[in-house]
């Protein structure tokens, strides 16, 4: 069995914040729509129970449901804000806690795409493709969502080198970039 924070092959797992401001705080977000390149699932992070099994290319939304008043006059109280999964055919599923994990069925080949990424506008605003598990949780007194990509070190390095260096760069330059990305991820 793998140690906590490592894959079965012993590769370290990294937690990378998605959509953070310059101070590293999550940007205000009340929902996120996700589509998988392959089959994927939404799971309860505490129990691992599958909340929704999602087909390839099916877009599901994780949304914050605001608090509401319930009860009769004089005995009114507020419910807590909570998370809800909304499927492509209008189905809705309540999330039992404050967080949900979005997990590709085949982590080696599967990827998840954020359909409504506020960090990317214009023609590239269709979204960002991410490998690994995406953790979605309520933060700031249950008013906003925080997104974290839990990805293994090798997939992270591959993504960084691909984003920061052209494929036509000399092989030695690509190797140095990979070394710097790996060192930065592990030690800085």
């Amino acid at each position: 069995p793998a140690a906590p924070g490592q894959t079965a092959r012993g590769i370290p797992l990294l937690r990378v914040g998605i959509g953070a401001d310059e101070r590293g705080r999550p940007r205000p977000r009340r929902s996120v729509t996700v589509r998988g390149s392959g089959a994927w699932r939404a799971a309860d992070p505490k129990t691992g129970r599958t909340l929704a099994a999602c087909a390839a290319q099916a877009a599901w939304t994780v949304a914050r449901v605001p608090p509401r008043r319930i009860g009769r006059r004089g005995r009114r109280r507020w419910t807590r804000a909570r998370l809800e999964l909304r499927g492509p055919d209008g189905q809705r599923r309540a999330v039992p806690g404050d967080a949900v994990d979005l997990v590709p069925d085949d982590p080696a080949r599967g990827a998840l795409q954020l359909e409504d990424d506020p960090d990317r506008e214009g023609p590239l605003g269709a979204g960002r493709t991410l490998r690994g598990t995406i953790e979605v949780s309520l933060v700031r007194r249950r008013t906003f969502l925080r997104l974290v990509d839990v990805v293994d070190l090798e997939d992270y390095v591959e993504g960084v080198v691909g984003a920061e260096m052209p494929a036509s760069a000399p092989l030695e330059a690509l190797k140095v970039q990979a070394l710097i990305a790996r060192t930065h991820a592990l030690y800085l």
Side-chain angles (χ1 to χ4, degrees), residues 8-178:
R9 298 183 327 239
I11 299 171
L13 292 174
L14 303 176
R15 296 177 46 84
V16 181
I18 304 168
D21 65 13
E22 59 278 350
R23 292 183 174 183
R25 295 184 190 142
R27 290 216 168 116
R29 175 181 231 153
R30 299 196 194 281
S31 69
V32 61
T33 301
V34 179
R35 181 183 304 269
S37 63
W40 57 285
R41 64 190 179 91
D44 182 348
K46 290 182 181 175
T47 64
R49 183 175 64 97
T50 297
L51 304 173
C54 312
Q57 299 303 318
W60 281 71
T61 299
V62 180
R64 174 189 175 268
V65 177
R68 61 186 180 102
R69 277 189 188 188
I70 59 171
R72 297 182 195 164
R73 186 177 254 165
R75 292 186 176 243
R76 289 188 180 175
R77 61 183 175 92
W78 288 89
T79 62
R80 293 176 63 179
R82 60 183 177 82
L83 291 176
E84 179 178 77
L85 294 165
R86 298 175 184 163
D89 298 329
Q91 63 266 53
R92 292 175 183 250
R93 308 234 171 97
V95 174
D98 290 348
V100 63
D101 287 345
L102 309 177
V103 186
D105 284 352
D106 182 5
R109 284 183 255 157
L112 298 174
Q113 181 178 26
L114 301 181
E115 291 285 310
D116 55 349
D117 189 350
D119 291 336
R120 302 181 80 178
E121 297 178 7
L124 299 176
R128 180 183 308 182
T129 301
L130 303 166
R131 296 200 175 277
T133 298
I134 298 176
E135 295 176 353
V136 181
S137 58
L138 285 169
V139 294
R140 293 192 195 162
R141 297 185 183 163
R142 304 175 71 87
T143 54
F144 299 113
L145 301 181
R146 174 177 45 210
L147 278 66
V148 175
D149 187 16
V150 181
V151 62
D152 75 49
L153 178 64
E154 297 308 315
D155 285 340
Y156 173 80
V157 170
E158 182 181 325
V160 168
V161 172
E164 294 184 359
M165 299 285 289
S168 60
L171 179 61
E172 292 304 313
L174 294 171
K175 288 180 183 178
V176 169
Q177 182 65 33

